[in-house]
Amino acid sequence: MPDIANRVMAVRQHVDETVAVAMAHLIEDAPDFGLNRVNPLAFARTNGLGEQESIAAFLHATQLGLFELSWNIVCQSCGGVLYQAESLQGIDQHHYNCSFCALDWEPTLDETVEITFTVDPRIRHIAAHDPDSLPLWDYTRQIFWSSGSDLPEHLAPVVGEVVLDAFEIAPGARMGRQVQMREGVAILFDPVTHSSRFLEVSGEPAEGQRLSIELDDAHQAGETLRLAPGLLTLDLENRTNRRIMPIFWIAGKALEAILTRRVPVLTAKRLLTHQTFRDIYRTNVLDLNQRFRITSLTFLFTDLKGSTELYERIGDLAAFDLVRAHFQLMYQVVSAHGGAVVKTIGDAIMATFPTPAQGVAAALDIRKVIDELNRRDSRDDLFLKVGLHSGPCLAVLMNERQDYFGQTVNVASRLQTIATPDMIFATTPVVEDEEARALLAARGRSLHGTTAFLRGLSGEIPVYGIPA
């Protein structure tokens, strides 16, 4: 295995040694299955490591050529991967169809787009690098289903009661098979072309039923066919230039129980709010015309109060050093709580977090480190105003960098302008989050509710002061 030690040593420069060592063992010792679409959250859990540092390790390892990062559109019903792209720019459709479930999915960054890492073939060649050579059930498990599907490595032993039959058909070939049909709904689904047919089976048993189905690259569900219970002669034709592997699934609670078993995954939203990702992928994350919806993201805005007077009072050089030290602390605290600094605006920062609780924890610790900075320099004139809001937004490209747009961003920004040095201001979606409330209770913080007018919004909105 070429150059693994040197590249892992380079990863070790950015993350804790235990994380880098665990990654080295993964690359060297894991079975092929374990190096395809690696879920970094599962990697962290298995090795007793922190999720944030594990994500950072895989990002650095990708930059060093150890892994390849992929953005996968995942069906939220069955957990199947509908499309895989090498970058967010490659996700260029408004909807992706799951023909297994007959559902369309919008690529929202916090729900339908997952991030996985596959070992680079130049580091170690695994079977999934040549997916058409994988046996039927290995292909279905490793290529069709996502890293969030809680399924065993070997599927064949667990699908007996939910599968009528399964086939491998060479390019351009035909296959005949007899299948015993029973009442209910059956789904003939090919994980290679994502083509499917739904069969409704009902009524009195019948003999001599015959059905011919052509499977092509249409990537969609065909019309629903109706049959009677009994023996069916099935003729299948592969009209593609690849091997296909249609599987006859029995729809029902047993299949649903298999498909709905899930584990946490690294979502695109969480990746975009990871400081290491923003530091490494500064440009080319999004295309100029792309807009991705995020159903909920937490925004934190801070600003130094009286920074203009500070420059006048202590001079440009001293003030610049103080403001720069403040920015360094902001980056450290935001990153430590699983967020990322999106941009600085004068003496202000805009940061994002996957959850309200992470934003609240960061806001409290930010105020704490600013107080410590004041004490360190024997001063009492460095004050920070902080505003927090959660809600839907759009991920966009602005000024050649990935940014966010929408009313949620506007509210968070304007909330910071009315905040006070002794109170962090937050909105209802933040303080009503269960984890955020538990955090505030654990830290002995009570809420001070009021209402306020925010520029650009009609009417007053509820706001809550959190003692710093």
Side-chain angles (χ1 to χ4, degrees), residues 106-111 291-296 392-395:
E106 177 190 356
T108 56
L109 299 186
D110 49 354
E111 292 178 338
R291 309 284 188 272
F292 285 102
R293 187 168 65 88
I294 297 175
T295 58
S296 181
C393 63
L394 294 176

Side-chain angles (χ1 to χ4, degrees), residues 109-110 267-270 272-275 278 293-302 334-335 337-343 349-364 366 386-395 402-413 415 424-437 439-440 466:
L109 299 186
D110 49 354
T267 63
K269 178 181 86 168
R270 184 167 180 183
L272 294 181
T273 55
H274 196 290
Q275 191 64 57
R278 294 199 67 92
R293 187 168 65 88
I294 297 175
T295 58
S296 181
L297 190 64
T298 297
F299 289 87
L300 178 148
F301 279 81
T302 73
V334 167
S335 179
H337 288 287
V341 174
V342 178
K343 58 187 173 185
I349 69 164
M350 168 186 172
T352 56
F353 298 86
T355 68
Q358 290 169 294
V360 170
L364 292 171
I366 282 172
V386 182
L388 281 165
H389 181 46
S390 294
C393 63
L394 294 176
Q402 188 263 312
D403 206 337
Y404 300 94
F405 179 83
Q407 190 72 316
T408 298
V409 184
N410 297 335
V411 170
S413 173
L415 192 65
I424 297 163
F425 272 26
T427 58
T428 301
V430 173
V431 301
E432 287 189 348
D433 176 77
E434 288 187 11
E435 291 184 2
R437 293 181 76 89
L439 172 67
L440 291 170
I466 302 171

Side-chain angles (χ1 to χ4, degrees), residues 157-190:
V158 301
V159 298
E161 63 177 311
V162 294
V163 170
L164 289 171
D165 208 342
F167 322 87
E168 288 196 33
I169 309 176
R174 301 178 67 96
M175 174 177 284
R177 205 72 159 248
Q178 288 190 321
V179 182
Q180 188 69 38
M181 306 300 296
R182 59 195 191 197
E183 283 206 48
V185 176
I187 307 169
L188 183 68
F189 174 74
D190 171 41

Side-chain angles (χ1 to χ4, degrees), residues 1 51 114 125 141 149 156 249 260 279 284 295 304 317 323 327 334 348 369 375-376 417 425 457:
M1 292 179 226
E51 292 182 350
E114 71 162 16
H125 186 83
R141 177 64 188 91
S149 297
W249 296 94
T260 54
D279 291 343
N284 299 323
T295 58
L304 281 174
L317 184 59
V323 170
F327 276 136
V334 167
V369 298
R375 286 195 295 271
R376 187 196 73 183
T417 64
F425 272 26
L457 274 70

